[in-house]
Amino acid sequence: LIFRDSWFVFDSFLVFMMDLETFILPFATPGGSPVSSLSILRLLRLLRISRMAKLMKAFPELMLIVKGLVAAARAVAWTLVLLLMIMFVFSILFTSVFHQGWATDEEVEDDIGFYFGSMSKSMFTLVIYGTLLDEVTDCATAIRGSGKIITMLPVFLVFIVLASFMMLNMLLGILVEVVANTAEGEKLAAKNIHVRQAILDTLTTLQGDAEGISRSMWMSIKGRDDVRVNLAELGILNKHHDELAIIGFDSKEVVDGKEYLVTAEDFLNFLFHLQPTEALRLCELQETEKVFVEVRKDVQKRIFALESLVARLTGKEAAEVQGKSGSGKEFRKPSLESCSEKAPPGTKMVDCGGNAS
């Protein structure tokens, strides 16, 4: 069984290579070990550090921070791109003013060219001194000593405001917001899992051996305290029971006079989909529109079928009348007495101008 463990096999291979290189090959090959270049494989044992990822399950807060960083990676990347663009524009401006020309780095070591003598120096200076604010006073003093205090020092201060105060604080705000949203989502997911399992157990017990849950079953659990507490977590209160019964059961088509039934799992998905605290989404509006269109088409088909049936029955009666008239027999309108004989008991007959109604 131990050889089925991949980590055990990997460690055994590394130990074997180390023993082979240390104790056997030096005596077999005095000129040096031919596998000495493979000693770097021992560094692969550092991969076992990845097992520490399992410890995150014991510390939910640490896992939450990691998930927040992963979720905020895209927003952070675009923020850094914007910061890089701002930095590049200001680097061009400072380099064009304080370019060191053909002078060497040693010649401008005590001059403003030490900070902004080239594009690479300007970018480095703006990152360290302008964005991270490390010894920013030295850079500001060098700008003052260059004689362009009126023009370039305000530009440097504007960059500090944009890069350090605005962009970095915005980056911090993005991280805080994403981590907070991630924490809220994790708590909601954990709560939904607990509530879902509790409600599913209740509905399954309520269903019993039946094929599904009926309207009467759903209304019967209205007063149960355990169900009320779990449904309250979803924002479903007692006043919502009747509304959910209308939507979930009364609006369904009844077959053979039997009460509409739905499985516990499907009804649970229905409750989670229509919980009052859930925000309305655009896709749900589109689904509702599709349902209305399908219902409208179904109603139009039924109306057309009824109209066709009435027309067919009316045409059939007219054909029978026409056939009787064409056979030479006299067609007589039904009299009140003849209709009274064929009418069910208790039927009131009215004579409307010779026609029995």
Side-chain angles (χ1 to χ4, degrees), residues 92-294:
I92 295 176
L93 179 60
F94 280 99
T95 304
S96 62
V97 176
F98 300 116
H99 195 273
Q100 68 186 45
W102 296 102
T104 61
D105 294 340
E106 290 78 8
E107 295 175 355
V108 297
E109 185 175 357
D110 298 330
D111 194 9
I112 188 63
F114 176 77
Y115 297 97
F116 303 104
S118 62
M119 279 295 296
S120 59
K121 291 182 178 181
S122 297
M123 292 285 289
F124 179 80
T125 300
L126 293 179
V127 170
I128 302 299
Y129 299 97
T131 304
L132 302 179
L133 302 182
D134 184 17
E135 297 183 359
V136 64
T137 306
D138 297 340
C139 184
T141 303
I143 296 176
R144 291 175 57 189
S146 65
K148 299 184 182 296
I149 184 175
I150 299 177
T151 56
M152 299 310 297
L153 186 59
V155 174
F156 183 68
L157 295 178
V158 169
F159 175 81
I160 292 177
V161 172
L162 289 176
S164 183
F165 294 166
M166 294 182 60
M167 298 302 298
L168 291 187
N169 286 319
M170 183 175 65
L171 182 62
L172 180 62
I174 291 174
L175 291 174
V176 171
E177 182 179 3
V178 171
V179 171
N181 293 336
T182 305
E184 187 67 23
E186 291 293 326
K187 292 180 181 178
L188 182 61
K191 182 184 70 174
N192 286 344
I193 292 175
H194 172 73
V195 173
R196 185 182 185 89
Q197 187 61 40
I199 298 178
L200 182 60
D201 294 341
T202 303
L203 294 178
T204 304
T205 304
L206 184 66
Q207 178 179 344
D209 298 333
E211 297 180 357
I213 299 174
S214 62
R215 188 185 194 280
S216 58
M217 293 180 182
W218 166 247
M219 297 304 296
S220 64
I221 63 175
K222 184 176 181 180
R224 294 181 54 175
D225 294 336
D226 55 343
V227 178
R228 185 175 66 251
V229 172
N230 292 325
L231 292 178
E233 295 290 339
L234 301 178
I236 301 176
L237 306 178
N238 287 336
K239 63 180 181 180
H240 298 135
H241 277 256
D242 297 334
E243 300 175 0
L244 293 174
I246 293 174
I247 299 175
F249 299 99
D250 296 349
S251 60
K252 306 299 181 180
E253 185 177 357
V254 179
V255 181
D256 298 334
K258 297 181 180 180
E259 198 173 12
Y260 178 78
L261 299 178
V262 60
T263 61
E265 184 68 26
D266 293 339
F267 191 73
L268 182 61
N269 295 331
F270 166 76
L271 292 179
F272 271 81
H273 185 68
L274 292 183
Q275 52 181 317
T277 55
E278 188 71 17
L280 185 63
R281 294 172 292 183
L282 180 60
C283 61
E284 294 176 349
L285 291 177
Q286 294 176 349
E287 292 177 359
T288 304
E289 183 181 2
K290 292 180 181 179
V291 171
F292 277 119
V293 171
E294 293 176 358

Side-chain angles (χ1 to χ4, degrees), residues 30-41:
S33 174
V35 295
S36 59
S37 59
L38 299 179
S39 59
I40 194 174
L41 293 177

Side-chain angles (χ1 to χ4, degrees), residues 332-349:
R332 296 181 180 180
K333 297 179 180 180
S335 62
L336 185 63
E337 291 78 13
S338 62
C339 291
S340 299
E341 294 175 358
K342 299 179 180 180
T347 304
K348 183 179 180 181
M349 306 302 296

